[in-house]
Amino acid sequence: MTAPNTKLAIFPASGGLGTATLQHLFKTHHANPKDVVLVARSPERLDSYAEAGVDVRKADYDDADTLVRAFDGVKTLNLISYASIQHEHRFNVHKLAIDAAIASGVSHVIYSSLGFGGLPSPNTPPTTVAQVMLAHIQTELYLASLHASNPSFNYSVIRQGLYSESFPIYTAVLSLTNPPSSGEILIPHDGSGPGISWAKRDELGEATAKILLMAFNDIHDPAFKPFLNTTILLSGPKSYSLAETVSIIGNIIGKDLKIRQVSVQEYADQPQVRASLDYGGGEVWPVLWATAWEGIRRGRRRM
């Protein structure tokens, strides 16, 4: 007789958001280690949790065979997105992980998506102009389709707000220790609003951990209804334009920083930008990443 699925899992568990979430799962919300499975490409990074009684397993998005049975015994899975802006591969590995989870008996997937553009409009299929959101939206739609075809499978989408720690990728890889001598940040955006509601990754992890435990304890609890088979947004309390963001950073480091709007190609040709967005495969990744500024420019209207 097959043992029932009774555990809560996080995958990948050793990255930035996964680490923040699991830390709060135990330190803030006092989860029972025996109830938790942590799945990671580098499980040795989680040795302290294994020593505390947590079931730590090895699996890798880029090795499909490792996903098979990685989620055995799990009923609630927090699936954190693959770290890339590559669209097709990113969605494909998400789908492989979701399918492997369902094959292992997972009945609820909580997907950590991205809060780019806020929330989709009600009763309107989500769309985006930003390359970074393409695989997220496709994954969200895939989860919704699985629930539609099998109502016993449930999902929750958490659109995680843009990390305040990620400001360099929106400011032409701005270095706090070596800012441009000119003080100019060259991006294909003039810095005006709408802005970004930055959120600390640690605080997103804390909120996510609370949602995971609510789902794990009882998805049918009325308190969890706003999170079930829908999309929610976690973000900071205030929106800052890119100009305001750069000004705040400048004040912190004692440097007068300003945005200068340039063409997409001029932005993409900056050496530090090319170096930070080199995913290989012959794609012009900096140019594709530059679609993020069009998404910011449109704000919540059409992402």
Side-chain angles (χ1 to χ4, degrees):
M1 183 175 180
T2 304
N5 287 38
T6 60
K7 295 197 173 190
L8 165 65
I10 300 175
F11 170 69
S14 62
L17 181 60
T19 297
T21 300
L22 70 91
Q23 287 176 344
H24 283 289
L25 197 63
F26 295 115
K27 293 180 180 179
T28 305
H29 301 297
H30 309 294
N32 185 340
K34 299 295 184 184
D35 291 335
V36 179
V37 175
L38 300 178
V39 186
R41 179 175 57 187
S42 303
E44 65 277 5
R45 296 173 62 181
L46 302 170
D47 282 349
S48 61
Y49 293 95
E51 292 166 2
V54 178
D55 185 354
V56 176
R57 304 175 185 175
K58 180 179 176 63
D60 186 342
Y61 266 131
D62 287 315
D63 186 348
D65 290 343
T66 66
L67 296 171
V68 177
R69 309 203 66 176
F71 310 110
D72 283 4
V74 173
K75 72 170 183 176
T76 306
L77 169 63
N78 176 207
L79 184 72
I80 300 172
S81 63
Y82 181 80
S84 172
I85 65 168
Q86 292 175 309
H87 172 208
E88 292 83 2
H89 180 67
R90 194 182 200 189
F91 169 69
N92 286 338
V93 296
H94 288 171
K95 183 177 182 297
L96 283 171
I98 292 166
D99 291 347
I102 291 174
S104 285
V106 171
S107 56
H108 187 193
V109 170
I110 300 176
Y111 175 59
S112 286
S113 183
L114 180 64
F116 208 92
L119 287 171
S121 301
N123 304 315
T124 302
T127 60
T128 185
V129 297
Q131 169 79 19
V132 69
M133 275 301 295
L134 291 173
H136 288 298
I137 287 178
Q138 199 168 355
T139 303
E140 293 174 9
L141 292 172
Y142 183 60
L143 288 167
S145 72
L146 291 172
H147 172 69
S149 62
N150 178 16
S152 65
F153 170 78
N154 296 285
Y155 73 95
S156 302
V157 171
I158 303 176
R159 287 196 170 183
Q160 306 281 357
L162 301 190
Y163 307 156
S164 54
E165 295 89 344
S166 71
F167 75 85
I169 61 178
Y170 300 97
T171 55
V173 198
L174 171 62
S175 168
L176 298 182
T177 57
N178 187 29
S181 58
S182 66
E184 291 187 326
I185 309 299
L186 309 184
I187 59 174
H189 193 288
D190 66 6
S192 62
I196 296 173
S197 297
W198 299 106
K200 290 182 65 176
R201 186 165 55 195
D202 180 70
E203 293 175 351
L204 293 171
E206 181 177 5
T208 300
K210 184 173 183 178
I211 294 169
L212 297 185
L213 278 179
M214 289 172 64
F216 177 68
N217 289 330
D218 184 7
I219 64 169
H220 301 297
D221 187 314
F224 192 72
K225 186 175 180 180
F227 306 96
L228 187 60
N229 300 315
T230 191
T231 301
I232 67 162
L233 173 67
L234 299 179
S235 72
K238 180 181 177 180
S239 177
Y240 295 87
S241 71
L242 287 170
E244 289 172 327
T245 298
V246 165
S247 178
I248 291 168
I249 294 170
N251 288 337
I252 292 171
I253 65 174
K255 176 83 173 177
D256 184 21
L257 298 177
K258 297 184 183 301
I259 288 173
R260 177 160 70 89
Q261 185 169 8
V262 297
S263 69
V264 167
Q265 196 60 56
E266 188 173 353
Y267 156 77
D269 285 342
Q270 294 174 91
Q272 78 278 13
V273 171
R274 291 201 306 270
S276 70
L277 290 171
D278 181 13
Y279 292 105
E283 297 282 0
V284 187
W285 295 113
V287 171
L288 291 174
W289 173 257
T291 58
W293 282 283
E294 181 59 27
I296 292 171
R297 190 174 288 110
R298 296 189 185 192
R300 292 182 178 222
R301 294 191 293 279
R302 286 183 293 163
M303 285 192 287

